[in-house]
Amino acid sequence: METVYQAQISYSQFLSETGQPLQPLPDWAGAPDKLVRYYRNMVQLRQLDNKIIALQRTGQMGTYASLLGAEAIEVVLGDLMLSDDVLVPYYRNHGLQMFRGLSMADMLSYWGGDERGSSSPAMGEDFPNAVPIATQALHAAGVATAIKIRGEKRAVVTVCGDGATSKGDFLEALNVAGVWQLPVVFMVNNNQWAISVPRSIQCGAATLAQKAIGAGIRGEQVDGNDVIALHESVTEALKHAREGKGATLIEAISYRLSDHTTADDATRYRSNEELKAAWEREPIKRLQTFLHERGWWDEVQETAWQKEVSQIIKQGLDSYLEMPPQPVEHLIDFLYAELPDALKEQRERLIRNAQPGGSHHE
């Protein structure tokens, strides 16, 4: 008989799949303000996600990685991180990036293939998206090292999927974070699928959070569809980091309700029954039910917010679609500190050809 070793890893959940409290709620959840904000922000992300996919399908956007199902993780991190914390994201954190100040137009420009989407001044010291799997974990460890050397009370947050936890980059980052007691939070969005690889064959351990044990750092599981549980877990992890007490690995159990990207077709490797069951656990309906039953949200508010969100998104999409293209010489300008002569000649030719009446056959 196969034996699976399960370390003692705590699991946190406050709301059932149907939005019912499973245990006494923290004091802050006894008032509507923060929970309503979480709900409104998740609704905005869901509607925006749908719009971006429509843009991609009509040729106005590049290949896009949906965040469908990860809304709770995005809004909670976006709310609890401070402005001087540092985000080292992966390609499914565009909601979090906007909550940290990135404009919708700049976010969209990244997915439209424009490098300006990775270098907006609004990003501050936050890093651009990491597409290579798990490399961002080591980048985050490096940033956290600098913060510790400077003696600053700041936290670094990096996010990855369940597949990334199998990479050497991720494990090396955990190790150095433990050895050097770095102020970093590793958020694993365990959405059950690494493209077509299911969690069941991704790792033989019962949890991904227990990888923290070998590194000597805190590790815990949390319901990634439960904003209350996420809020509690992230609050403590950030506090732990800012106080110089070291790193935390949070495994947020969620589900990727979309294809991996718009270039993927998930029906080829997962069943409709599994997807239907996952929709019963998704975060927005769960919180909506909770708010309704407490009288903190109603159909009038819902209709008004959906309408307002549509206008917010339309303005952002219009700004993106109206964004003028970069000068053609930018294809070359940022390749070298000092351009070689051959590239100088190419640069001049590009500029000439881009001008009205310029030759396109040089």
Side-chain angles (χ1 to χ4, degrees):
M1 178 180 295
E2 182 180 356
T3 300
V4 177
Y5 173 71
Q6 181 170 1
Q8 293 300 312
I9 293 293
S10 65
Y11 176 78
S12 176
Q13 180 182 3
F14 283 89
L15 297 181
S16 71
E17 295 177 6
T18 57
Q20 305 305 312
L22 297 174
Q23 59 174 306
L25 301 180
D27 290 344
W28 66 268
D33 295 354
K34 188 174 288 291
L35 289 171
V36 168
R37 182 165 70 248
Y38 283 159
Y39 177 75
R40 287 161 60 96
N41 286 343
M42 287 197 293
V43 168
Q44 181 172 333
L45 290 185
R46 179 70 58 86
Q47 194 176 134
L48 175 59
D49 197 70
N50 290 333
K51 292 291 186 181
I52 296 174
I53 291 174
L55 280 179
Q56 193 278 332
R57 300 307 190 202
T58 55
Q60 300 176 86
M61 183 67 65
T63 299
Y64 169 69
S66 170
L67 51 73
L68 191 64
E71 295 90 350
I73 298 170
E74 296 285 285
V75 302
V76 171
L77 283 174
D79 196 78
L80 295 178
M81 288 182 69
L82 301 179
S83 59
D84 64 347
D85 291 333
V86 179
L87 172 65
V88 186
Y90 82 138
Y91 50 81
R92 237 179 272 279
N93 287 144
H94 30 291
L96 173 52
Q97 289 172 316
M98 288 193 299
F99 295 135
R100 289 186 56 73
L102 187 66
S103 73
M104 189 182 300
D106 280 341
M107 180 276 288
L108 292 169
S109 70
Y110 169 83
W111 293 103
D114 192 322
E115 64 185 6
R116 288 174 293 185
S118 292
S119 59
S120 169
M123 294 170 67
E125 293 188 320
D126 287 357
F127 276 44
N129 290 331
V131 175
I133 304 302
T135 55
Q136 70 273 21
L138 282 172
H139 301 160
V143 174
T145 302
I147 286 174
K148 181 169 184 176
I149 290 172
R150 295 172 182 171
E152 298 170 344
K153 295 184 180 299
R154 305 165 68 189
V156 182
V157 174
T158 188
V159 189
C160 68
D162 43 296
T165 65
S166 296
K167 293 292 296 292
D169 311 65
F170 179 81
L171 298 170
E172 291 162 13
L174 291 189
N175 189 65
V176 74
V179 171
W180 291 349
Q181 205 169 357
L182 298 179
V184 58
V185 177
F186 299 94
M187 172 64 78
V188 177
N189 173 14
N190 180 2
N191 62 23
Q192 311 305 317
W193 288 94
I195 309 183
S196 60
V197 177
R199 164 64 183 90
S200 60
I201 62 172
Q202 183 64 241
C203 174
T207 74
L208 300 179
Q210 68 197 67
K211 297 190 178 191
I213 296 173
I217 65 174
R218 297 175 72 246
E220 59 189 33
Q221 277 190 327
V222 62
D223 186 335
N225 294 318
D226 180 347
V227 294
I228 298 177
L230 281 165
H231 178 100
E232 291 293 284
S233 182
V234 171
T235 296
E236 182 57 33
L238 289 172
K239 180 174 181 288
H240 194 77
R242 294 182 190 126
E243 292 179 352
K245 296 179 180 178
T248 300
L249 167 58
I250 302 172
E251 178 188 357
I253 309 298
S254 66
Y255 192 90
R256 196 193 76 210
L257 296 170
S258 65
D259 297 326
H260 174 67
T261 70
T262 50
D264 177 43
D265 178 8
T267 62
R268 297 170 59 191
Y269 52 81
R270 71 179 180 190
S271 69
N272 289 331
E273 291 75 19
E274 178 181 323
L275 181 60
K276 183 179 179 180
W279 272 104
E280 297 299 319
R281 304 188 297 270
E282 66 96 6
I284 296 180
K285 180 62 176 176
R286 184 185 304 199
L287 183 56
Q288 182 190 63
T289 299
F290 178 82
L291 295 176
H292 274 175
E293 293 185 354
R294 276 158 177 71
W296 294 346
W297 192 256
D298 57 33
E299 292 182 5
V300 173
Q301 291 169 294
E302 181 73 25
T303 300
W305 180 237
Q306 291 281 0
K307 184 177 181 180
E308 184 177 346
V309 164
S310 294
Q311 289 301 311
I312 293 170
I313 292 173
K314 183 181 184 302
Q315 292 173 4
L317 294 180
D318 288 346
S319 296
Y320 159 68
L321 294 171
E322 294 167 2
M323 187 178 292
Q326 297 186 73
V328 68
E329 61 268 25
H330 282 192
L331 286 169
I332 290 177
D333 283 349
F334 307 109
L335 298 178
Y336 294 89
E338 295 184 14
L339 287 181
D341 290 340
L343 284 183
K344 290 178 181 177
E345 295 172 5
Q346 289 184 40
R347 183 180 186 277
E348 293 170 2
R349 189 160 62 247
L350 281 170
I351 294 172
R352 288 198 303 271
N353 291 346
Q355 294 172 349
S359 170
H360 296 278
H361 302 286
E362 290 190 30

